[in-house]
Amino acid sequence: MKYDIRKKSTRGAKRTLDAFSSILFELLSEKPFEEITVNELCERANYPRATFYNYFDDKYDLLNYCWYTIGRQIHLEQYAELDPEECLYVFFDRIYDFASAYTKIIRRILKFNPEETFLLNHFRGYLGKQMREIFRHSPCREHYKIPYEIIADHYSNTVYLILEWSFLRGKDCSKAQAHEYLKYLLGALQKD
């Protein structure tokens, strides 16, 4: 990501970053990600292109920043200290709650960005990357008999599968029911 997320943002930078990420989500509820242009983002955000390129390399970089902001909202930085299995349920609960809070917006976005498009594949990749990072730093990773990357990918794919069932396919299962699905699908790993 071009913008250094580790440094403390000024109010102006935060306002600019928030404006571009908000506009991206707004445009995603109107058209596919592939059809969104940097010019369109700048016009809607009321910023010149030069400002956009001060913060982002391109719209893909902005999308990475959007996933990062969602990660901040669900406090991903706290997961490294948790046991991986506890972490998974905390991660799942927070992302489930986030999706529940934004269900209407998510469904509008999905109208233009269905399952097999770049946007959802990119989100799925983001989930996998986050889960691998969580397991990479986990003191319990030696607990498993197979490489932690495989476990992390299995967990992230399972979380995505349940989120997809609950929100993307509109099955509207409760959080308790979603937890049961998660426990059932991960049961074999948790018995090791």
Side-chain angles (χ1 to χ4, degrees), residues 109-122:
I109 289 171
L110 292 174
K111 180 179 173 185
F112 296 98
N113 296 275
E115 237 176 283
E116 294 305 317
T117 60
F118 175 81
L119 183 69
L120 287 181
N121 286 325
H122 196 266

Side-chain angles (χ1 to χ4, degrees), residues 95-110:
I95 205 160
Y96 186 97
D97 291 342
F98 180 87
S100 291
Y102 294 99
T103 300
K104 287 181 183 177
I105 295 167
I106 291 169
R107 290 210 172 125
R108 280 198 313 263
I109 289 171
L110 292 174

Side-chain angles (χ1 to χ4, degrees), residues 28 30 42 80 82 92 123 141 151 168 172 174 185-186:
L28 287 169
E30 299 171 13
C42 293
L82 300 173
F92 180 79
F123 176 69
R141 73 183 228 193
I151 300 293
L168 283 70
D172 296 324
S174 69
L185 291 171
L186 296 175

Side-chain angles (χ1 to χ4, degrees), residues 157-180:
N157 288 334
T158 304
V159 166
Y160 182 84
L161 177 68
I162 294 169
L163 291 172
E164 178 185 43
W165 176 261
S166 302
F167 297 100
L168 283 70
R169 294 187 186 173
K171 300 300 182 184
D172 296 324
C173 71
S174 69
K175 188 169 161 183
Q177 190 176 29
H179 260 268
E180 287 304 311

